[in-house]
Amino acid sequence: MKKFPRPNAIKGQLHRALLWITFIIGLCIFIPTLYIEYRQTIQHQNEEMTHYLDAQTYFFESWLSERSSDIHTIANLDFVKNYNYEKSQAFFLDFKEKTDFTDLIFVNREGIVQFDTVTKYSTTGVGVGMDVKNRKYFQVATKTKQPYITDILISKVTKKPILVFASPILNAQQQFNGVVFGAVNLDTIDQLLHESRVGFLGKAYIIDQKGTMLTEFNNKQHRTSSKYLVDEHILNAAKKNTISDLELYKDANNKRVLAKSKPINEGKWFIISEIGLFEAYQPLIIRILLITLCLVVGSFFTIKMMLHLSKKIEEPIQQLLTGVRKVEQGFYDYQIDEQQLAPYAHEFQELCSSFNEMSAKVKTDTILLKELSVTCQLTKLYNRRYLIEHGELVFQKCLEEQNHCSCIAIDIDFFKKVNDTYGHLIGDEVLKHVANIITNSVRGIDIITRYGGEEFVILSPNTTLESAVKIAERVRKHVEHHPYYADDVEINVTVSIGIAGYGHSKNISTFYELLDKADQALYIAKESGRNQLRVCDYTGKVDSNQML
């Protein structure tokens, strides 16, 4: 039978002393750790929500800018300014399918809807012929002649809540001549916010200065059909716009949440991020439970065992912690020296090996994700996102070094007919065929991108307009002289090309203007019969009679 030490024996006193020492040390460890973990959790949550709001704000502001730019561009098209309804309506219908707009509307100078993309072109249609001059976007366009983004409106056509992006139509004398506006449903904005919510457990929604919700991402059951208002305490918290602290309140579901807000759209709206207390504190709870468990288990060991184990545990954990921190800082290829952990427990060696495998996999996946985000998977060319992000840097470098810079916009002629005749699989092969020809026809310094659909863009740094014309003509001839073959199918392919160049001209000062000029030249090339080039010279003018 096992004997237990007597209470007054040295062994028993040592046991009691060890228990008290372990208990006191445990308290000294547990209480500061609890406080530090709590502060770190709050700080981490604050930083995470701040980064999340910054990313959401950048994403949404960019989206607002792009949609407003789309409407402004449409309002400045010549056939829109000239009230060419037939051509404008066809363009509106085609443009709507490529964007987030649910409706595009043409309003004349008297405030009467001439046509939209929802109802048929008829004076008896629901939207056509409607008087919208009492709408704020029409009044603002009349007075300021500037683009305008509304708060939430109820569509007179669809009877659904919408946001409106409006831009005035100005004639040659810069006089008000009507309005073009595009409507976006709230569920589209909800989807944008949801898609950009990566790695964050909370939710986000947008309100205006009156507390009206511009999204339906949250709490649909708490709204009426005509009011989309948040509680007053939520609006007041958003207006505080505290930078360093999180707000604690009950959301519309009567659930306690941590919240943070940030103004967007020049301070007209607020984007609010909320996360439940349980989700926010869950990592803290788990860590505290683990710490408590370790202290309880550790109390059964002697001081000598704890000293021995601490040495056996501390060093490998420090190695792994260093590795985790390196990966957190972005050094995804960091590897732990497995030889240093050889004297320690086999589990630490396995963990080290698993960490090294994970680090290598994270590095590979990160490179792959970065490549996928800027590459068209069909043609293996750069995509539109890469062109927008990288093109501005290339153009600015040309400006700083006072070099020429040219842009070539290419569109496959009658590509829709190829899809309709042979199917989309053959259409994809034709796209890859043309992409390969373009790649083999340009220089190494040229940046080739699939801009969207059947349109390609080549950005040629340090290239004069004359050299760009030679490159474009070489591409056009190679495409024309190399039909697509597959089995018994032969498809003759041609392209229309628009070219624009910067050459120390005041007419073009940004990459977007250069791209827009090339696109204008491309449009004229297509309108002039296709399979030809049109050039926007350094003055910014496109000669519609020029064919190269």
Side-chain angles (χ1 to χ4, degrees):
M1 181 179 294
K2 184 178 180 180
K3 296 183 178 180
F4 293 94
R6 290 177 296 176
N8 293 328
I10 295 177
K11 188 175 182 180
Q13 292 178 358
L14 289 175
H15 282 186
R16 288 194 298 272
L18 180 58
L19 289 175
W20 278 107
I21 291 173
T22 303
F23 178 74
I24 293 172
I25 293 176
L27 286 180
C28 293
I29 294 174
F30 183 80
I31 294 176
T33 300
L34 177 62
Y35 175 77
I36 293 172
E37 288 289 341
Y38 172 77
R39 295 303 305 171
Q40 287 181 344
T41 299
I42 294 298
Q43 181 180 358
H44 173 75
Q45 192 61 57
N46 192 9
E47 292 175 353
E48 184 177 3
M49 294 182 75
T50 299
H51 295 158
Y52 172 69
L53 281 177
D54 289 342
Q56 288 279 29
T57 299
Y58 174 80
F59 178 83
F60 196 72
E61 291 277 17
S62 299
W63 181 81
L64 288 175
S65 177
E66 290 172 1
R67 298 293 77 77
S68 182
S69 177
D70 288 342
I71 298 301
H72 182 67
T73 300
I74 293 174
N76 282 278
L77 295 175
D78 291 338
F79 52 83
V80 174
K81 291 183 176 182
N82 297 331
Y83 278 34
N84 187 336
Y85 294 144
E86 181 178 357
K87 190 171 183 180
S88 297
Q89 187 176 22
F91 179 84
F92 278 27
L93 288 169
D94 180 69
F95 188 81
K96 189 190 83 168
E97 298 300 323
K98 303 175 182 178
T99 62
D100 297 323
F101 293 111
T102 56
D103 196 5
L104 292 172
I105 300 93
F106 189 112
V107 181
N108 65 19
R109 66 178 65 88
E110 288 78 24
I112 305 301
V113 175
Q114 294 298 309
F115 63 83
D116 60 27
T117 57
V118 174
T119 58
K120 294 183 179 180
Y121 187 73
S122 170
T123 57
T124 60
V126 178
V128 177
M130 183 178 294
D131 187 349
V132 296
K133 60 176 171 289
N134 62 335
R135 287 287 201 175
K136 188 172 181 179
Y137 54 80
F138 184 85
Q139 296 172 355
V140 171
T142 305
K143 294 178 181 179
T144 67
K145 300 179 183 179
Q146 296 295 325
Y148 179 70
I149 305 174
T150 69
D151 289 334
I152 187 171
L153 297 175
I154 301 300
S155 172
K156 292 184 177 182
V157 177
T158 64
K159 307 304 180 184
K160 294 182 180 180
I162 59 172
L163 289 180
V164 169
F165 296 78
S167 183
I169 303 172
L170 305 178
N171 60 20
Q173 291 75 34
Q174 296 299 302
Q175 296 175 337
F176 178 77
N177 202 29
V179 175
V180 171
F181 71 88
V184 177
N185 285 342
L186 298 190
D187 54 359
T188 300
I189 303 176
D190 293 337
Q191 185 178 0
L192 290 171
L193 289 179
H194 182 70
E195 291 175 350
S196 61
R197 185 169 62 96
V198 178
F200 183 69
L201 299 177
K203 59 197 173 189
Y205 54 93
I206 299 172
I207 64 173
D208 63 15
Q209 291 284 347
K210 297 179 181 179
T212 304
M213 295 185 68
L214 304 182
T215 64
E216 296 181 349
F217 184 78
N218 173 44
N219 305 321
K220 295 182 181 180
Q221 66 274 22
H222 290 271
R223 301 180 181 170
T224 64
S225 59
S226 59
K227 295 295 182 180
Y228 294 78
L229 299 176
V230 298
D231 293 338
E232 185 176 357
H233 68 274
I234 298 178
L235 176 61
N236 292 335
K239 289 183 177 180
K240 284 183 182 179
N241 191 28
T242 56
I243 299 176
S244 58
D245 297 327
L246 298 173
E247 290 289 338
L248 175 63
Y249 58 69
K250 291 185 178 181
D251 64 5
N253 292 321
N254 204 30
K255 178 182 177 182
R256 298 183 71 83
V257 297
L258 291 174
K260 201 172 184 67
S261 65
K262 187 172 183 179
I264 60 174
N265 193 18
E266 300 178 347
K268 298 177 183 178
W269 302 340
F270 299 99
I271 181 168
I272 300 176
S273 173
E274 295 176 351
I275 185 171
L277 283 182
F278 178 77
E279 290 82 1
Y281 292 146
Q282 186 177 17
L284 173 64
I285 296 172
I286 294 174
R287 287 196 293 269
I288 294 303
L289 290 176
L290 290 174
I291 292 172
T292 303
L293 179 62
C294 291
L295 288 175
V296 171
V297 174
S299 65
F300 292 96
F301 292 92
T302 62
I303 295 177
K304 183 178 180 179
M305 291 175 63
M306 287 191 296
L307 292 175
H308 178 73
L309 289 176
S310 66
K311 182 180 179 181
K312 291 292 184 179
I313 294 175
E314 181 182 357
E315 293 184 5
I317 287 180
Q318 187 61 43
Q319 291 282 346
L320 292 169
L321 182 59
T322 300
V324 170
R325 287 174 176 171
K326 289 291 185 180
V327 172
E328 185 181 15
Q329 294 169 3
F331 299 97
Y332 301 120
D333 56 348
Y334 182 82
Q335 297 284 297
I336 298 175
D337 187 358
E338 297 185 24
Q339 295 297 326
Q340 294 183 2
L341 297 182
Y344 301 102
H346 180 67
E347 288 78 7
F348 285 117
Q349 298 176 31
E350 290 184 352
L351 188 59
C352 171
S353 177
S354 298
F355 174 86
N356 288 338
E357 291 178 3
M358 179 195 68
S359 175
K361 189 174 186 302
V362 168
K363 178 184 177 182
T364 302
D365 291 346
T366 301
I367 295 174
L368 178 61
L369 287 173
K370 184 176 181 181
E371 180 181 351
L372 290 174
S373 69
V374 297
T375 305
C376 168
Q377 295 307 296
L378 177 65
T379 62
K380 306 306 178 184
L381 300 177
Y382 290 120
N383 59 18
R384 178 173 181 166
R385 175 181 178 182
Y386 180 87
L387 178 65
I388 296 302
E389 294 178 354
H390 194 66
E392 182 66 25
L393 299 177
V394 173
F395 183 81
Q396 289 298 325
K397 184 177 180 180
C398 290
L399 288 181
E400 294 171 1
E401 297 177 356
Q402 296 184 349
N403 287 329
H404 292 264
C405 186
S406 297
C407 183
I408 303 171
I410 304 172
D411 190 272
I412 301 177
D413 296 331
F414 305 110
F415 182 72
K416 183 177 183 302
K417 185 177 179 181
V418 174
N419 280 332
D420 293 343
T421 304
Y422 302 99
H424 288 278
L425 292 179
I426 295 297
D428 289 345
E429 293 301 320
V430 171
L431 280 173
K432 292 192 287 186
H433 172 71
V434 173
N436 289 333
I437 292 177
I438 295 174
T439 302
N440 295 328
S441 302
V442 300
R443 307 164 304 173
I445 64 171
D446 297 326
I447 301 172
I448 315 167
T449 61
R450 182 186 176 192
Y451 194 67
E454 64 271 22
E455 185 174 352
F456 301 85
V457 172
I458 302 172
L459 181 62
S460 298
N462 307 329
T463 303
T464 63
L465 190 60
E466 292 76 13
S467 297
V469 170
K470 294 179 181 179
I471 295 172
E473 178 63 12
R474 184 165 61 245
V475 169
R476 188 194 67 79
K477 287 182 177 179
H478 286 179
V479 172
E480 182 181 18
H481 295 156
H482 294 83
Y484 169 77
Y485 295 98
D487 298 331
D488 297 330
V489 177
E490 177 180 345
I491 303 175
N492 293 313
V493 185
T494 61
V495 293
S496 299
I497 303 178
I499 309 166
Y502 165 77
H504 319 304
S505 167
K506 296 182 178 179
N507 187 65
I508 296 177
S509 58
T510 67
F511 168 69
Y512 298 100
E513 292 177 356
L514 179 67
L515 184 62
D516 182 61
K517 294 298 183 182
D519 195 58
Q520 292 179 25
L522 171 62
Y523 177 80
I524 293 178
K526 293 167 65 177
E527 290 295 312
S528 301
R530 304 178 189 264
N531 190 23
Q532 54 188 272
L533 277 62
R534 286 292 182 271
V535 179
C536 179
D537 60 24
Y538 290 133
T539 66
K541 296 181 179 179
V542 181
D543 185 357
S544 60
N545 296 320
Q546 181 184 16
M547 181 173 68
L548 299 175

